[in-house]
Coordinates of all heavy atoms in Angstrom, one line a residue:
P1 N -0.7 32.7 18.5 CA 0.7 32.4 18.7 C 0.9 31.1 19.5 O 1.8 30.3 19.3 CB 1.3 33.6 19.5 CG 0.4 34.7 19.1 CD -1.0 34.1 19.0
L2 N 0.0 30.8 20.5 CA 0.1 29.6 21.2 C -0.3 28.4 20.4 O 0.4 27.3 20.5 CB -0.8 29.7 22.5 CG -0.6 30.9 23.4 CD1 -1.6 30.8 24.6 CD2 0.8 30.9 23.9
F3 N -1.3 28.6 19.5 CA -1.7 27.5 18.6 C -0.5 27.2 17.6 O -0.3 26.1 17.2 CB -2.9 27.9 17.9 CG -4.2 27.6 18.6 CD1 -5.0 28.7 19.1 CD2 -4.6 26.3 19.0 CE1 -6.1 28.4 19.8 CE2 -5.7 26.1 19.7 CZ -6.5 27.1 20.1
A4 N 0.2 28.3 17.2 CA 1.4 28.1 16.3 C 2.4 27.2 17.0 O 3.0 26.3 16.4 CB 1.9 29.4 15.9
L5 N 2.7 27.5 18.3 CA 3.6 26.6 19.0 C 3.1 25.2 19.0 O 3.9 24.2 18.8 CB 3.7 27.1 20.5 CG 4.7 28.2 20.8 CD1 4.6 28.5 22.3 CD2 6.1 27.8 20.4
V6 N 1.9 25.0 19.3 CA 1.3 23.6 19.4 C 1.4 22.9 18.0 O 1.7 21.7 18.0 CB -0.2 23.7 19.8 CG1 -0.9 22.5 19.6 CG2 -0.2 24.1 21.3
V7 N 1.1 23.6 16.9 CA 1.1 23.0 15.6 C 2.6 22.6 15.3 O 2.8 21.5 14.8 CB 0.6 24.0 14.5 CG1 0.9 23.5 13.1 CG2 -0.9 24.2 14.7
A8 N 3.5 23.5 15.6 CA 4.9 23.1 15.4 C 5.3 21.9 16.2 O 6.0 21.0 15.6 CB 5.8 24.3 15.7
A9 N 5.0 21.9 17.5 CA 5.3 20.7 18.3 C 4.7 19.4 17.8 O 5.3 18.4 17.8 CB 4.9 21.0 19.8
S10 N 3.4 19.5 17.4 CA 2.7 18.4 16.9 C 3.3 17.8 15.6 O 3.4 16.6 15.4 CB 1.2 18.7 16.6 OG 0.6 19.2 17.8
T11 N 3.7 18.7 14.7 CA 4.3 18.3 13.5 C 5.7 17.6 13.7 O 5.9 16.6 13.2 CB 4.6 19.6 12.6 OG1 3.3 20.2 12.3 CG2 5.2 19.2 11.2
V12 N 6.5 18.2 14.6 CA 7.8 17.6 14.9 C 7.5 16.2 15.5 O 8.2 15.2 15.2 CB 8.6 18.5 15.8 CG1 9.8 17.7 16.4 CG2 9.0 19.8 15.1
T13 N 6.6 16.1 16.5 CA 6.3 14.9 17.1 C 5.9 13.8 16.2 O 6.3 12.6 16.2 CB 5.3 15.1 18.2 OG1 5.8 16.0 19.2 CG2 5.0 13.7 18.9
F14 N 5.0 14.2 15.3 CA 4.4 13.2 14.3 C 5.6 12.7 13.4 O 5.7 11.5 13.1 CB 3.4 13.9 13.4 CG 2.8 13.1 12.3 CD1 1.9 12.1 12.6 CD2 3.3 13.2 11.0 CE1 1.4 11.3 11.6 CE2 2.8 12.5 10.0 CZ 1.8 11.5 10.2
L15 N 6.4 13.6 12.9 CA 7.5 13.2 12.0 C 8.5 12.3 12.8 O 9.0 11.3 12.2 CB 8.2 14.5 11.5 CG 7.4 15.3 10.5 CD1 8.2 16.6 10.1 CD2 7.0 14.6 9.3
V16 N 8.8 12.6 14.0 CA 9.7 11.8 14.8 C 9.2 10.5 15.1 O 9.9 9.4 14.9 CB 10.1 12.5 16.1 CG1 10.8 11.6 17.1 CG2 10.9 13.8 15.9
Q17 N 7.9 10.4 15.4 CA 7.3 9.1 15.7 C 7.2 8.2 14.5 O 7.5 7.0 14.5 CB 5.8 9.3 16.2 CG 5.8 10.0 17.6 CD 5.9 9.1 18.8 OE1 5.2 8.1 18.8 NE2 6.7 9.4 19.7
I18 N 6.9 8.8 13.3 CA 6.8 8.0 12.1 C 8.2 7.6 11.7 O 8.5 6.5 11.3 CB 6.2 8.9 10.9 CG1 4.7 9.1 11.3 CG2 6.3 8.2 9.6 CD1 3.9 7.9 11.4
G19 N 9.2 8.5 11.8 CA 10.6 8.2 11.4 C 11.2 7.1 12.3 O 12.1 6.4 11.8
S20 N 10.8 7.0 13.5 CA 11.4 6.0 14.4 C 10.6 4.7 14.4 O 11.0 3.8 15.0 CB 11.4 6.6 15.8 OG 10.1 6.8 16.3
G21 N 9.5 4.7 13.7 CA 8.7 3.4 13.6 C 7.8 3.2 14.8 O 7.2 2.1 15.0
A22 N 7.7 4.3 15.7 CA 6.9 4.1 16.9 C 5.4 3.9 16.6 O 4.6 3.5 17.4 CB 7.1 5.3 17.8
G23 N 4.9 4.4 15.4 CA 3.5 4.3 15.1 C 3.1 3.0 14.4 O 2.0 2.8 14.0
E24 N 4.1 2.0 14.3 CA 3.8 0.8 13.5 C 3.0 -0.2 14.3 O 2.4 -1.1 13.7 CB 5.1 0.2 13.1 CG 5.9 1.0 12.1 CD 7.2 0.4 11.7 OE1 7.5 -0.7 12.3 OE2 8.0 1.0 10.9
G25 N 2.9 0.0 15.6 CA 2.2 -1.0 16.4 C 0.7 -1.2 16.1 O 0.1 -2.2 16.3
G26 N 0.1 -0.1 15.6 CA -1.3 -0.1 15.3 C -1.6 -0.4 13.9 O -2.8 -0.2 13.5
Q27 N -0.6 -0.8 13.1 CA -0.9 -1.0 11.7 C -1.9 -2.2 11.5 O -1.8 -3.2 12.3 CB 0.4 -1.3 10.9 CG 1.2 -0.1 10.7 CD 2.5 -0.4 9.9 OE1 2.8 -1.6 9.6 NE2 3.2 0.6 9.5
G28 N -2.8 -2.1 10.6 CA -3.8 -3.1 10.4 C -5.0 -2.9 11.2 O -6.0 -3.6 10.9
L29 N -5.1 -1.9 12.0 CA -6.3 -1.6 12.8 C -7.1 -0.6 12.0 O -6.6 0.5 11.6 CB -6.0 -1.1 14.2 CG -5.3 -2.0 15.1 CD1 -5.0 -1.3 16.4 CD2 -6.1 -3.2 15.4
G30 N -8.4 -0.9 11.7 CA -9.2 0.0 11.0 C -9.7 1.2 11.8 O -9.4 1.3 13.1
L31 N -10.4 2.1 11.2 CA -10.8 3.3 11.9 C -11.8 3.0 13.0 O -11.8 3.6 14.1 CB -11.5 4.3 10.9 CG -12.0 5.6 11.5 CD1 -10.8 6.4 12.0 CD2 -12.7 6.4 10.4
V32 N -12.7 2.0 12.8 CA -13.6 1.6 13.8 C -12.9 1.1 15.0 O -13.3 1.4 16.2 CB -14.7 0.6 13.3 CG1 -15.6 0.2 14.4 CG2 -15.5 1.3 12.1
A33 N -11.9 0.2 14.8 CA -11.2 -0.4 15.9 C -10.4 0.7 16.7 O -10.4 0.6 17.9 CB -10.2 -1.5 15.4
R34 N -9.9 1.6 16.0 CA -9.1 2.7 16.7 C -10.1 3.5 17.5 O -9.8 4.0 18.6 CB -8.4 3.6 15.6 CG -7.3 2.9 14.9 CD -6.7 3.7 13.8 NE -5.7 3.0 13.1 CZ -4.4 3.1 13.3 NH1 -4.0 3.9 14.3 NH2 -3.5 2.4 12.6
G35 N -11.3 3.8 16.9 CA -12.3 4.6 17.7 C -12.7 3.9 18.9 O -12.9 4.5 20.0
A36 N -12.9 2.5 18.8 CA -13.4 1.7 19.9 C -12.3 1.8 21.1 O -12.7 1.9 22.2 CB -13.7 0.3 19.5
T37 N -11.1 1.6 20.7 CA -10.0 1.6 21.7 C -9.8 3.0 22.3 O -9.5 3.1 23.5 CB -8.7 1.1 21.1 OG1 -8.4 1.9 20.0 CG2 -8.8 -0.4 20.8
A38 N -10.1 4.1 21.5 CA -10.0 5.4 22.1 C -11.1 5.6 23.2 O -10.9 6.2 24.2 CB -10.2 6.4 21.0
L39 N -12.3 5.1 22.9 CA -13.4 5.2 23.8 C -13.0 4.4 25.1 O -13.3 4.8 26.2 CB -14.7 4.6 23.2 CG -15.4 5.5 22.2 CD1 -16.5 4.8 21.6 CD2 -16.0 6.8 22.9
M40 N -12.5 3.2 24.9 CA -12.1 2.4 26.1 C -11.0 3.1 26.9 O -10.9 2.9 28.1 CB -11.6 1.0 25.6 CG -12.7 0.2 25.0 SD -12.1 -1.4 24.3 CE -11.5 -2.2 25.8
G41 N -10.2 3.9 26.2 CA -9.2 4.7 26.9 C -9.8 5.7 27.9 O -9.4 5.9 29.0
Y42 N -10.9 6.4 27.4 CA -11.6 7.3 28.3 C -12.1 6.5 29.5 O -12.0 7.0 30.6 CB -12.8 7.9 27.5 CG -12.5 9.0 26.7 CD1 -12.4 8.9 25.3 CD2 -12.3 10.3 27.2 CE1 -12.1 10.0 24.5 CE2 -12.0 11.4 26.4 CZ -11.9 11.2 25.0 OH -11.6 12.3 24.2
G43 N -12.7 5.4 29.2 CA -13.3 4.6 30.3 C -12.2 4.1 31.3 O -12.4 4.1 32.5

């Protein structure tokens, strides 16, 4: 039941972010570049 809550919240968040254009800033970045910046975020 807790995972169901999380899936619902994640779905709504994803749709809202896409609909508002908030995810456009990373367009053009490949998977490797995204992975590299994710690692740098940890650091």
Side-chain angles (χ1 to χ4, degrees):
L2 305 181
F3 280 113
L5 273 180
V6 164
V7 170
S10 300
T11 302
V12 171
T13 300
F14 177 78
L15 294 175
V16 168
Q17 295 273 310
I18 294 298
S20 65
E24 295 177 358
Q27 286 185 352
L29 296 178
L31 183 61
V32 175
R34 292 171 184 267
T37 52
L39 285 171
M40 292 174 66
Y42 278 103

